Amino acid sequence: MLDLKNKKIMVVGAGISGIGAVHLLNQVGADVVLYDGGSKLSEDDVIKKLNGDKAQIILGEFSREYMEGIDMLVISPGVPIDNHVVVEFTAMISAPCPGKNTLTKKE
């Protein structure tokens, strides 16, 4: 099993799966960043969905600087694999991105 304690992990997508991933990552002590590029959510909406779980919330337009220090990416099933965030992270680690519902780890 991966030791995720104190690892900085970005979850891409604030839908049901992304919120579930944040919850599980909180349970194992990860430092979670939740990113959603959609324009329909407000930070208050996401905080309510998190139901007490902790995450740095980033909404809207993506900036490459958000990737600094990220150890792993969790991609929600509703996020296309060619999403710019996934492509940026994959380029940073110079490794193929496995696919939806998987964790992509920076070595």
Side-chain angles (χ1 to χ4, degrees):
M1 177 178 246
L2 289 172
D3 180 11
L4 302 177
K5 187 174 181 131
N6 299 318
K7 297 289 184 187
K8 190 169 183 182
I9 302 175
M10 178 178 280
V11 176
V12 181
I16 293 170
S17 297
I19 296 298
V22 170
H23 178 71
L24 293 172
L25 291 166
N26 269 238
Q27 288 182 333
V28 297
D31 178 18
V32 183
V33 177
L34 177 60
Y35 170 75
D36 194 292
S39 60
K40 296 179 183 177
L41 292 173
S42 71
E43 190 168 338
D44 286 339
D45 293 334
V46 176
I47 290 169
K48 287 176 190 170
K49 290 170 78 171
L50 288 173
N51 198 30
D53 285 322
K54 293 182 182 180
Q56 176 188 350
I57 301 167
I58 301 173
L59 301 173
E61 192 168 330
F62 185 78
S63 171
R64 189 176 179 130
E65 70 186 38
Y66 300 150
M67 289 292 188
E68 290 178 20
I70 298 294
D71 296 304
M72 189 178 293
L73 195 66
V74 176
I75 308 162
S76 295
V79 175
I81 205 68
D82 61 351
N83 176 281
H84 61 284
V85 177
V86 178
V87 171
E88 286 280 337
F89 189 78
T90 304
M92 283 177 55
I93 61 171
S94 300
C97 186
K100 293 181 180 179
N101 296 323
T102 60
L103 299 176
T104 301
K105 182 179 169 195
K106 190 161 67 169
E107 299 295 331

Coordinates of all heavy atoms in Angstrom, one line a residue:
M1 N 0.8 -1.2 0.0 CA 0.0 0.0 0.0 C 0.9 1.3 0.0 O 1.9 1.3 0.7 CB -0.9 0.0 1.2 CG -1.8 1.2 1.3 SD -2.9 1.2 2.8 CE -4.4 1.1 1.9
L2 N 0.5 2.2 -0.7 CA 1.2 3.5 -0.8 C 1.1 4.2 0.5 O 0.0 4.3 1.1 CB 0.6 4.4 -1.9 CG 0.8 4.0 -3.3 CD1 0.0 4.9 -4.2 CD2 2.3 4.1 -3.7
D3 N 2.2 4.8 1.0 CA 2.1 5.7 2.2 C 1.9 7.1 1.7 O 2.8 7.7 1.1 CB 3.4 5.6 2.9 CG 3.4 6.5 4.2 OD1 2.4 7.0 4.6 OD2 4.5 6.6 4.8
L4 N 0.7 7.6 1.9 CA 0.3 8.9 1.4 C 0.3 10.0 2.5 O 0.0 11.1 2.2 CB -1.1 8.8 0.8 CG -1.3 7.8 -0.4 CD1 -2.7 7.8 -0.9 CD2 -0.3 8.2 -1.5
K5 N 0.7 9.6 3.7 CA 0.8 10.6 4.8 C 1.7 11.7 4.4 O 2.9 11.5 4.0 CB 1.2 9.9 6.1 CG 1.1 10.8 7.2 CD 1.4 10.1 8.5 CE 1.2 11.1 9.7 NZ 0.4 10.6 10.7
N6 N 1.2 12.9 4.5 CA 2.0 14.2 4.3 C 2.4 14.3 2.8 O 3.2 15.2 2.5 CB 3.2 14.3 5.2 CG 2.8 14.3 6.6 OD1 1.8 15.0 7.0 ND2 3.5 13.6 7.5
K7 N 1.8 13.5 1.9 CA 2.1 13.7 0.5 C 1.1 14.8 0.0 O -0.1 14.8 0.4 CB 1.8 12.4 -0.3 CG 2.8 11.3 0.1 CD 4.2 11.6 -0.4 CE 5.1 10.4 -0.2 NZ 6.5 10.7 -0.5
K8 N 1.5 15.6 -0.9 CA 0.6 16.6 -1.5 C 0.0 16.1 -2.7 O 0.7 15.8 -3.7 CB 1.4 17.9 -1.8 CG 0.5 19.1 -2.1 CD 1.3 20.4 -2.2 CE 0.4 21.6 -2.5 NZ 1.2 22.8 -2.5
I9 N -1.3 15.9 -2.7 CA -2.0 15.2 -3.7 C -3.1 16.1 -4.3 O -3.9 16.7 -3.5 CB -2.6 13.9 -3.2 CG1 -1.5 13.0 -2.7 CG2 -3.4 13.2 -4.4 CD1 -1.9 11.7 -2.1
M10 N -3.1 16.3 -5.6 CA -4.2 17.1 -6.2 C -5.3 16.2 -6.8 O -5.0 15.2 -7.5 CB -3.6 17.9 -7.4 CG -4.7 18.7 -8.1 SD -4.0 19.8 -9.4 CE -3.4 21.2 -8.5
V11 N -6.5 16.5 -6.4 CA -7.7 15.8 -6.9 C -8.3 16.7 -8.0 O -8.5 17.9 -7.7 CB -8.7 15.5 -5.8 CG1 -10.0 14.9 -6.4 CG2 -8.1 14.6 -4.7
V12 N -8.4 16.2 -9.2 CA -9.0 17.0 -10.3 C -10.5 16.6 -10.5 O -10.8 15.4 -10.8 CB -8.2 16.7 -11.6 CG1 -8.8 17.6 -12.7 CG2 -6.7 17.0 -11.4
G13 N -11.3 17.5 -10.2 CA -12.8 17.3 -10.3 C -13.4 17.3 -8.9 O -13.1 16.5 -8.1
A14 N -14.4 18.2 -8.8 CA -15.1 18.3 -7.5 C -16.5 17.7 -7.5 O -17.4 18.1 -6.8 CB -15.2 19.8 -7.1
G15 N -16.7 16.7 -8.3 CA -17.9 15.9 -8.3 C -17.9 14.9 -7.2 O -17.1 14.9 -6.3
I16 N -18.8 14.0 -7.3 CA -19.0 12.9 -6.3 C -17.7 12.1 -6.1 O -17.3 11.9 -4.9 CB -20.2 12.0 -6.6 CG1 -21.5 12.8 -6.6 CG2 -20.2 10.8 -5.7 CD1 -22.7 12.0 -7.1
S17 N -17.1 11.7 -7.2 CA -15.8 10.9 -7.1 C -14.7 11.7 -6.5 O -13.9 11.2 -5.7 CB -15.4 10.4 -8.4 OG -16.4 9.5 -8.9
G18 N -14.6 13.0 -6.9 CA -13.5 13.8 -6.4 C -13.7 14.1 -4.9 O -12.7 14.1 -4.2
I19 N -14.9 14.4 -4.5 CA -15.1 14.6 -3.1 C -14.9 13.3 -2.3 O -14.3 13.4 -1.2 CB -16.6 15.1 -2.9 CG1 -16.8 16.5 -3.6 CG2 -16.9 15.2 -1.4 CD1 -15.9 17.6 -3.1
G20 N -15.2 12.2 -2.8 CA -14.9 10.9 -2.2 C -13.4 10.7 -2.1 O -12.9 10.2 -1.0
A21 N -12.7 11.0 -3.1 CA -11.2 10.9 -3.1 C -10.6 11.8 -2.0 O -9.7 11.4 -1.2 CB -10.6 11.2 -4.4
V22 N -11.1 13.0 -1.9 CA -10.6 13.9 -0.8 C -10.9 13.3 0.5 O -10.0 13.3 1.4 CB -11.3 15.3 -0.9 CG1 -11.0 16.2 0.3 CG2 -10.9 16.0 -2.2
H23 N -12.0 12.7 0.7 CA -12.4 12.1 2.0 C -11.4 11.0 2.4 O -10.8 10.9 3.5 CB -13.8 11.6 2.0 CG -14.2 10.9 3.3 ND1 -14.4 11.6 4.4 CD2 -14.4 9.5 3.5 CE1 -14.7 10.7 5.4 NE2 -14.7 9.5 4.9
L24 N -11.1 10.1 1.4 CA -10.2 9.0 1.6 C -8.8 9.5 1.9 O -8.1 8.9 2.7 CB -10.3 8.0 0.4 CG -11.6 7.3 0.3 CD1 -11.6 6.5 -1.1 CD2 -11.8 6.3 1.4
L25 N -8.4 10.5 1.1 CA -7.0 11.0 1.3 C -6.9 11.7 2.6 O -5.8 11.6 3.2 CB -6.7 12.0 0.1 CG -6.5 11.3 -1.2 CD1 -6.6 12.3 -2.4 CD2 -5.2 10.5 -1.3
N26 N -7.9 12.3 3.1 CA -7.9 12.9 4.4 C -7.7 11.8 5.5 O -6.9 12.0 6.4 CB -9.2 13.7 4.8 CG -9.1 15.1 4.4 OD1 -9.3 16.0 5.2 ND2 -8.9 15.4 3.1
Q27 N -8.3 10.7 5.3 CA -8.2 9.6 6.3 C -6.8 9.0 6.4 O -6.4 8.5 7.4 CB -9.2 8.5 5.9 CG -10.6 8.8 6.1 CD -11.6 7.7 5.8 OE1 -11.3 6.8 5.0 NE2 -12.7 7.7 6.5
V28 N -6.0 9.1 5.3 CA -4.7 8.6 5.4 C -3.6 9.7 5.6 O -2.4 9.4 5.5 CB -4.3 7.8 4.1 CG1 -5.2 6.5 4.0 CG2 -4.4 8.6 2.8
G29 N -4.1 10.9 5.9 CA -3.2 12.0 6.2 C -2.5 12.7 5.1 O -1.5 13.4 5.3
A30 N -3.1 12.7 3.9 CA -2.5 13.4 2.8 C -2.9 14.9 2.9 O -3.8 15.3 3.5 CB -3.0 12.8 1.5
D31 N -2.0 15.7 2.3 CA -2.3 17.1 2.1 C -3.0 17.3 0.8 O -2.3 17.1 -0.3 CB -0.9 17.9 2.2 CG -1.1 19.4 2.0 OD1 -2.2 19.9 2.2 OD2 0.0 20.0 1.7
V32 N -4.3 17.6 0.8 CA -5.1 17.6 -0.5 C -5.3 18.9 -1.1 O -5.6 19.9 -0.4 CB -6.4 16.9 -0.2 CG1 -7.2 16.7 -1.5 CG2 -6.2 15.5 0.5
V33 N -5.1 19.0 -2.4 CA -5.5 20.2 -3.2 C -6.6 19.7 -4.1 O -6.5 18.7 -4.8 CB -4.3 20.7 -4.0 CG1 -4.8 21.8 -4.9 CG2 -3.2 21.1 -3.1
L34 N -7.8 20.4 -4.1 CA -8.9 20.0 -4.9 C -9.1 21.1 -6.0 O -9.3 22.3 -5.7 CB -10.2 19.9 -4.1 CG -11.5 19.6 -4.8 CD1 -11.4 18.3 -5.6 CD2 -12.7 19.6 -3.8
Y35 N -8.9 20.7 -7.2 CA -9.1 21.6 -8.4 C -10.3 21.2 -9.2 O -10.5 20.1 -9.5 CB -7.8 21.6 -9.3 CG -8.0 22.4 -10.5 CD1 -8.0 23.7 -10.5 CD2 -8.3 21.7 -11.7 CE1 -8.3 24.5 -11.7 CE2 -8.6 22.4 -12.9 CZ -8.6 23.8 -12.8 OH -8.8 24.5 -14.0
D36 N -11.1 22.2 -9.6 CA -12.1 22.1 -10.5 C -12.2 23.3 -11.4 O -12.2 24.4 -11.0 CB -13.5 21.9 -9.8 CG -14.6 21.4 -10.7 OD1 -15.0 22.1 -11.7 OD2 -15.0 20.2 -10.6
G37 N -12.1 23.0 -12.7 CA -12.1 24.1 -13.7 C -13.5 24.6 -14.1 O -13.6 25.5 -14.9
G38 N -14.5 24.0 -13.6 CA -15.9 24.4 -14.0 C -16.2 25.7 -13.4 O -15.7 26.2 -12.4
S39 N -17.1 26.4 -14.1 CA -17.5 27.8 -13.6 C -18.8 27.8 -12.8 O -19.2 28.8 -12.3 CB -17.7 28.7 -14.8 OG -18.7 28.2 -15.7
K40 N -19.3 26.6 -12.6 CA -20.6 26.5 -11.9 C -20.5 26.5 -10.3 O -21.4 26.8 -9.6 CB -21.4 25.3 -12.3 CG -21.8 25.3 -13.7 CD -22.5 24.0 -14.1 CE -22.9 24.1 -15.6 NZ -23.5 22.8 -16.0
L41 N -19.3 26.1 -9.8 CA -19.1 26.0 -8.4 C -18.5 27.2 -7.8 O -17.7 27.9 -8.3 CB -18.2 24.8 -8.1 CG -18.7 23.4 -8.4 CD1 -17.6 22.4 -8.2 CD2 -19.9 23.0 -7.5
S42 N -19.0 27.5 -6.5 CA -18.3 28.5 -5.7 C -17.5 27.8 -4.6 O -17.8 26.6 -4.4 CB -19.4 29.4 -5.1 OG -20.1 28.8 -4.1
E43 N -16.6 28.5 -4.0 CA -15.9 27.9 -2.9 C -16.8 27.4 -1.8 O -16.6 26.4 -1.2 CB -14.8 28.9 -2.4 CG -13.8 28.2 -1.5 CD -12.6 29.0 -1.2 OE1 -12.3 29.9 -2.0 OE2 -12.0 28.8 -0.1
D44 N -17.8 28.2 -1.5 CA -18.8 27.8 -0.5 C -19.5 26.5 -0.8 O -19.7 25.7 0.0 CB -19.8 28.9 -0.2 CG -19.2 30.1 0.5 OD1 -18.2 29.9 1.2 OD2 -19.8 31.2 0.4
D45 N -19.8 26.3 -2.1 CA -20.5 25.1 -2.6 C -19.5 23.9 -2.3 O -20.0 22.9 -1.8 CB -20.7 25.1 -4.1 CG -21.8 26.1 -4.5 OD1 -22.7 26.5 -3.6 OD2 -21.8 26.6 -5.7
V46 N -18.3 24.1 -2.6 CA -17.3 23.0 -2.4 C -17.1 22.7 -1.0 O -17.1 21.5 -0.6 CB -16.0 23.3 -3.2 CG1 -15.0 22.2 -2.9 CG2 -16.2 23.5 -4.6
I47 N -17.0 23.7 -0.1 CA -16.8 23.5 1.3 C -18.0 22.7 1.9 O -17.8 21.8 2.7 CB -16.7 24.9 2.0 CG1 -15.3 25.5 1.7 CG2 -16.8 24.7 3.5 CD1 -15.1 26.9 2.1
K48 N -19.2 23.0 1.4 CA -20.4 22.2 1.9 C -20.2 20.8 1.4 O -20.5 19.9 2.2 CB -21.6 22.9 1.3 CG -22.0 24.1 2.0 CD -23.3 24.8 1.4 CE -23.5 26.2 1.9 NZ -24.5 26.9 1.2
K49 N -19.8 20.6 0.2 CA -19.7 19.2 -0.3 C -18.6 18.4 0.5 O -18.7 17.2 0.6 CB -19.3 19.2 -1.8 CG -20.5 19.7 -2.7 CD -20.1 19.9 -4.1 CE -19.9 18.6 -4.9 NZ -19.7 18.8 -6.3
L50 N -17.6 19.1 0.9 CA -16.5 18.5 1.6 C -16.9 18.0 3.0 O -16.3 17.1 3.6 CB -15.3 19.4 1.8 CG -14.5 19.6 0.5 CD1 -13.5 20.7 0.7 CD2 -13.9 18.3 0.0
N51 N -18.0 18.6 3.6 CA -18.5 18.1 4.8 C -17.5 17.9 5.9 O -17.4 16.9 6.6 CB -19.3 16.8 4.6 CG -20.2 16.5 5.7 OD1 -20.8 17.4 6.4 ND2 -20.5 15.2 6.0
G52 N -16.6 18.9 6.0 CA -15.6 18.9 7.1 C -14.2 18.4 6.7 O -13.3 18.5 7.5
D53 N -14.1 17.7 5.6 CA -12.8 17.3 5.1 C -12.0 18.5 4.7 O -12.5 19.5 4.2 CB -13.0 16.3 3.9 CG -13.4 14.9 4.3 OD1 -13.0 14.5 5.4 OD2 -14.2 14.3 3.6
K54 N -10.7 18.3 4.8 CA -9.8 19.5 4.5 C -9.2 19.3 3.1 O -8.8 18.2 2.7 CB -8.6 19.5 5.5 CG -9.0 19.8 6.9 CD -7.7 19.8 7.7 CE -8.0 20.1 9.2 NZ -6.7 20.2 9.9
A55 N -9.2 20.5 2.4 CA -8.5 20.5 1.1 C -8.3 22.0 0.7 O -9.1 22.8 1.1 CB -9.4 19.9 0.0
Q56 N -7.2 22.3 0.1 CA -7.0 23.6 -0.5 C -7.9 23.6 -1.8 O -7.7 22.6 -2.6 CB -5.5 23.8 -0.9 CG -5.3 25.1 -1.6 CD -3.9 25.2 -2.1 OE1 -3.0 24.4 -1.8 NE2 -3.7 26.2 -2.9
I57 N -8.7 24.5 -1.9 CA -9.7 24.5 -3.0 C -9.2 25.5 -4.1 O -9.0 26.7 -3.8 CB -11.1 24.9 -2.5 CG1 -11.6 23.9 -1.5 CG2 -12.1 25.0 -3.7 CD1 -12.8 24.3 -0.7
I58 N -9.1 25.1 -5.3 CA -8.8 25.9 -6.4 C -9.8 25.7 -7.5 O -10.1 24.6 -8.0 CB -7.4 25.5 -7.0 CG1 -6.3 25.7 -5.9 CG2 -7.1 26.4 -8.2 CD1 -4.9 25.2 -6.4
L59 N -10.5 26.8 -7.9 CA -11.6 26.8 -8.8 C -11.3 27.7 -10.0 O -10.6 28.7 -9.9 CB -12.9 27.2 -8.2 CG -13.4 26.4 -7.0 CD1 -14.6 27.0 -6.4 CD2 -13.7 25.0 -7.4
G60 N -11.8 27.3 -11.2 CA -11.6 28.2 -12.4 C -10.4 27.9 -13.2 O -9.9 26.8 -13.3
E61 N -9.9 28.9 -13.8 CA -8.8 28.8 -14.7 C -7.5 28.2 -14.0 O -7.2 28.6 -12.9 CB -8.4 30.2 -15.3 CG -7.5 30.1 -16.5 CD -7.4 31.3 -17.3 OE1 -8.4 32.1 -17.3 OE2 -6.3 31.6 -17.8
F62 N -6.9 27.3 -14.7 CA -5.7 26.6 -14.1 C -4.4 27.4 -14.4 O -4.3 27.9 -15.5 CB -5.7 25.2 -14.7 CG -4.6 24.4 -14.1 CD1 -4.8 23.8 -12.9 CD2 -3.4 24.2 -14.8 CE1 -3.8 23.0 -12.3 CE2 -2.4 23.4 -14.2 CZ -2.6 22.8 -13.0
S63 N -3.5 27.3 -13.5 CA -2.2 27.9 -13.6 C -1.2 26.8 -13.3 O -1.3 26.1 -12.3 CB -2.0 29.1 -12.7 OG -0.6 29.5 -12.7
R64 N -0.1 26.7 -14.1 CA 0.9 25.7 -13.9 C 1.5 25.7 -12.5 O 1.9 24.8 -11.9 CB 2.0 25.8 -15.0 CG 2.9 24.6 -14.9 CD 3.9 24.6 -16.0 NE 4.8 23.5 -15.9 CZ 5.1 22.6 -16.8 NH1 4.6 22.8 -18.0 NH2 5.9 21.6 -16.6
E65 N 1.5 26.9 -11.9 CA 2.1 27.1 -10.6 C 1.4 26.3 -9.5 O 1.9 25.9 -8.5 CB 2.1 28.6 -10.1 CG 0.8 29.2 -9.9 CD 0.8 30.7 -9.6 OE1 1.6 31.4 -10.2 OE2 0.1 31.1 -8.7
Y66 N 0.1 25.9 -9.8 CA -0.7 25.0 -8.8 C 0.0 23.7 -8.7 O -0.3 23.0 -7.8 CB -2.1 24.9 -9.3 CG -2.9 26.1 -9.4 CD1 -3.9 26.3 -10.3 CD2 -2.6 27.2 -8.6 CE1 -4.7 27.4 -10.4 CE2 -3.4 28.4 -8.7 CZ -4.4 28.5 -9.6 OH -5.2 29.6 -9.7
M67 N 0.8 23.3 -9.7 CA 1.4 21.9 -9.7 C 2.7 21.9 -8.8 O 3.1 20.8 -8.5 CB 1.8 21.6 -11.1 CG 0.6 21.2 -12.0 SD -0.1 19.7 -11.4 CE -1.3 19.5 -12.8
E68 N 3.2 23.0 -8.4 CA 4.4 23.0 -7.6 C 4.2 22.2 -6.3 O 3.3 22.5 -5.6 CB 4.8 24.5 -7.3 CG 5.3 25.2 -8.5 CD 5.7 26.6 -8.2 OE1 5.9 27.0 -7.1 OE2 5.7 27.4 -9.2
G69 N 5.1 21.3 -6.1 CA 5.1 20.5 -4.9 C 4.1 19.3 -4.9 O 4.0 18.6 -4.0
I70 N 3.3 19.2 -6.0 CA 2.3 18.1 -6.1 C 3.1 16.7 -6.3 O 3.9 16.6 -7.2 CB 1.3 18.3 -7.2 CG1 0.5 19.6 -7.0 CG2 0.4 17.1 -7.4 CD1 -0.4 19.6 -5.8
D71 N 2.8 15.8 -5.4 CA 3.4 14.5 -5.5 C 2.6 13.5 -6.4 O 3.1 12.5 -6.9 CB 3.5 13.9 -4.1 CG 4.5 14.7 -3.3 OD1 5.6 14.9 -3.7 OD2 4.1 15.1 -2.2
M72 N 1.3 13.7 -6.4 CA 0.4 12.7 -7.1 C -0.9 13.4 -7.5 O -1.3 14.4 -6.9 CB 0.1 11.6 -6.1 CG -0.6 10.4 -6.7 SD -1.0 9.1 -5.5 CE 0.7 8.6 -5.1
L73 N -1.5 12.9 -8.6 CA -2.7 13.4 -9.2 C -3.7 12.3 -9.1 O -3.5 11.2 -9.5 CB -2.4 13.8 -10.6 CG -3.4 14.7 -11.3 CD1 -3.4 16.1 -10.7 CD2 -3.0 14.8 -12.8
V74 N -4.9 12.7 -8.6 CA -6.1 11.8 -8.7 C -7.1 12.4 -9.7 O -7.5 13.6 -9.5 CB -6.8 11.6 -7.3 CG1 -8.0 10.8 -7.4 CG2 -5.8 11.0 -6.3
I75 N -7.4 11.6 -10.7 CA -8.3 12.1 -11.8 C -9.7 11.5 -11.6 O -9.9 10.3 -11.6 CB -7.7 11.7 -13.1 CG1 -6.2 12.1 -13.2 CG2 -8.5 12.3 -14.2 CD1 -5.5 11.4 -14.3
S76 N -10.7 12.4 -11.4 CA -12.0 11.9 -11.3 C -12.5 11.4 -12.6 O -12.1 11.8 -13.7 CB -13.0 13.1 -10.9 OG -12.6 13.5 -9.6
P77 N -13.4 10.4 -12.6 CA -13.9 9.7 -13.8 C -14.5 10.7 -14.8 O -14.4 10.5 -16.0 CB -15.0 8.8 -13.3 CG -14.7 8.6 -11.9 CD -14.0 9.8 -11.4
G78 N -15.1 11.8 -14.4 CA -15.7 12.7 -15.3 C -14.8 13.7 -16.0 O -15.1 14.4 -16.9
V79 N -13.5 13.6 -15.6 CA -12.5 14.5 -16.2 C -11.8 13.8 -17.4 O -11.3 12.7 -17.2 CB -11.4 14.9 -15.2 CG1 -10.3 15.7 -15.8 CG2 -12.0 15.6 -14.0
P80 N -11.9 14.4 -18.6 CA -11.3 13.7 -19.8 C -9.7 13.6 -19.6 O -9.1 14.4 -19.0 CB -11.5 14.7 -20.9 CG -12.6 15.6 -20.4 CD -12.5 15.6 -18.9
I81 N -9.2 12.5 -20.0 CA -7.8 12.2 -19.9 C -6.9 13.2 -20.6 O -5.8 13.3 -20.3 CB -7.5 10.7 -20.3 CG1 -6.3 10.2 -19.6 CG2 -7.4 10.6 -21.8 CD1 -6.4 10.0 -18.1
D82 N -7.5 13.9 -21.6 CA -6.7 14.9 -22.3 C -6.9 16.3 -21.7 O -6.5 17.3 -22.3 CB -7.0 14.9 -23.8 CG -8.4 15.2 -24.1 OD1 -9.3 15.2 -23.2 OD2 -8.7 15.3 -25.3
N83 N -7.5 16.3 -20.5 CA -7.7 17.6 -19.8 C -6.3 18.3 -19.6 O -5.3 17.6 -19.3 CB -8.4 17.3 -18.4 CG -8.5 18.5 -17.6 OD1 -7.6 19.0 -17.0 ND2 -9.7 19.1 -17.6
H84 N -6.3 19.6 -19.7 CA -5.0 20.3 -19.7 C -4.3 20.1 -18.4 O -3.1 20.1 -18.3 CB -5.3 21.8 -19.9 CG -6.2 22.5 -18.9 ND1 -7.5 22.3 -18.9 CD2 -5.9 23.3 -17.9 CE1 -8.1 23.0 -17.9 NE2 -7.1 23.6 -17.3
V85 N -5.0 19.9 -17.3 CA -4.3 19.7 -16.0 C -3.6 18.3 -16.0 O -2.4 18.2 -15.6 CB -5.3 19.7 -14.8 CG1 -4.6 19.4 -13.5 CG2 -6.0 21.0 -14.7
V86 N -4.2 17.3 -16.5 CA -3.6 16.0 -16.6 C -2.4 16.0 -17.6 O -1.4 15.5 -17.3 CB -4.7 14.9 -17.1 CG1 -4.1 13.6 -17.3 CG2 -5.9 14.9 -16.2
V87 N -2.6 16.7 -18.7 CA -1.5 16.8 -19.7 C -0.3 17.6 -19.0 O 0.8 17.1 -19.2 CB -2.0 17.5 -20.9 CG1 -0.8 17.9 -21.9 CG2 -3.0 16.7 -21.6
E88 N -0.6 18.6 -18.3 CA 0.5 19.4 -17.7 C 1.3 18.5 -16.7 O 2.5 18.5 -16.6 CB -0.1 20.6 -16.9 CG -0.5 21.7 -17.8 CD 0.7 22.6 -18.3 OE1 1.7 22.6 -17.7 OE2 0.5 23.3 -19.4
F89 N 0.5 17.8 -15.8 CA 1.2 17.0 -14.8 C 2.0 15.9 -15.4 O 3.1 15.6 -15.0 CB 0.1 16.4 -13.8 CG 0.7 15.7 -12.6 CD1 1.2 16.5 -11.6 CD2 0.8 14.4 -12.6 CE1 1.8 15.9 -10.5 CE2 1.4 13.8 -11.5 CZ 1.9 14.5 -10.4
T90 N 1.4 15.3 -16.5 CA 2.1 14.2 -17.2 C 3.4 14.7 -17.8 O 4.4 14.1 -17.7 CB 1.2 13.6 -18.2 OG1 0.0 13.1 -17.6 CG2 1.9 12.4 -18.9
A91 N 3.3 15.9 -18.4 CA 4.5 16.5 -18.9 C 5.6 16.8 -17.9 O 6.8 16.6 -18.1 CB 4.2 17.8 -19.7
M92 N 5.1 17.2 -16.7 CA 6.1 17.5 -15.6 C 6.8 16.3 -15.1 O 8.0 16.3 -14.8 CB 5.4 18.1 -14.4 CG 5.0 19.6 -14.6 SD 4.1 20.2 -13.2 CE 5.1 19.9 -11.8
I93 N 6.2 15.1 -15.1 CA 6.8 13.9 -14.6 C 7.4 13.1 -15.7 O 8.1 12.1 -15.4 CB 5.8 13.0 -13.8 CG1 4.6 12.6 -14.6 CG2 5.4 13.8 -12.5 CD1 3.8 11.6 -13.9
S94 N 7.2 13.5 -17.0 CA 7.7 12.8 -18.2 C 7.4 11.3 -18.1 O 8.3 10.5 -18.3 CB 9.2 13.0 -18.2 OG 9.5 14.4 -18.4
A95 N 6.2 11.0 -17.8 CA 5.8 9.6 -17.8 C 4.4 9.5 -18.4 O 3.6 10.5 -18.3 CB 5.8 9.1 -16.4
P96 N 4.0 8.4 -18.9 CA 2.7 8.2 -19.5 C 1.6 8.3 -18.4 O 1.9 7.8 -17.2 CB 2.7 6.9 -20.2 CG 3.8 6.1 -19.6 CD 4.8 7.2 -19.1
C97 N 0.5 8.8 -18.7 CA -0.6 8.9 -17.7 C -1.5 7.7 -17.9 O -2.0 7.4 -18.9 CB -1.4 10.2 -17.9 SG -2.7 10.4 -16.7
P98 N -1.6 6.8 -16.8 CA -2.3 5.5 -17.0 C -3.7 5.6 -17.4 O -4.1 4.9 -18.3 CB -2.2 4.9 -15.6 CG -1.5 5.9 -14.7 CD -1.2 7.1 -15.5
G99 N -4.6 6.4 -16.9 CA -6.0 6.4 -17.3 C -6.9 6.9 -16.1 O -6.4 7.1 -15.0
K100 N -8.1 6.9 -16.4 CA -9.1 7.4 -15.5 C -9.2 6.5 -14.3 O -8.9 5.3 -14.4 CB -10.5 7.5 -16.1 CG -10.6 8.6 -17.2 CD -11.9 8.6 -17.7 CE -12.0 9.7 -18.8 NZ -13.3 9.8 -19.4
N101 N -9.6 7.0 -13.1 CA -9.8 6.3 -11.9 C -8.4 5.7 -11.3 O -8.4 4.7 -10.6 CB -10.7 5.1 -12.0 CG -12.1 5.6 -12.4 OD1 -12.6 6.6 -11.9 ND2 -12.8 4.9 -13.3
T102 N -7.3 6.3 -11.7 CA -6.1 5.8 -11.2 C -5.3 7.0 -10.6 O -5.6 8.1 -10.8 CB -5.2 5.3 -12.3 OG1 -4.9 6.3 -13.3 CG2 -5.9 4.1 -13.0
L103 N -4.3 6.6 -9.8 CA -3.4 7.6 -9.2 C -2.2 7.7 -10.1 O -1.6 6.7 -10.5 CB -3.0 7.2 -7.8 CG -4.1 7.0 -6.8 CD1 -3.6 6.5 -5.5 CD2 -4.9 8.3 -6.6
T104 N -1.8 8.9 -10.4 CA -0.6 9.2 -11.1 C 0.5 9.7 -10.2 O 0.2 10.7 -9.6 CB -0.8 10.2 -12.3 OG1 -1.8 9.7 -13.1 CG2 0.4 10.4 -13.1
K105 N 1.6 9.0 -10.0 CA 2.6 9.4 -9.0 C 3.8 9.9 -9.6 O 4.3 9.4 -10.6 CB 2.9 8.1 -8.2 CG 3.9 8.3 -7.1 CD 4.2 7.0 -6.5 CE 5.3 7.1 -5.5 NZ 5.8 5.8 -5.1
K106 N 4.3 11.0 -9.0 CA 5.6 11.6 -9.4 C 6.7 10.8 -8.7 O 6.7 10.7 -7.5 CB 5.6 13.1 -9.1 CG 6.7 13.8 -9.7 CD 6.5 15.3 -9.7 CE 6.5 16.0 -8.4 NZ 6.6 17.4 -8.4
E107 N 7.6 10.3 -9.5 CA 8.7 9.5 -8.9 C 9.8 10.4 -8.3 O 10.1 11.4 -8.7 CB 9.3 8.6 -10.0 CG 8.3 7.6 -10.5 CD 7.8 6.6 -9.5 OE1 8.5 6.2 -8.6 OE2 6.7 6.1 -9.7

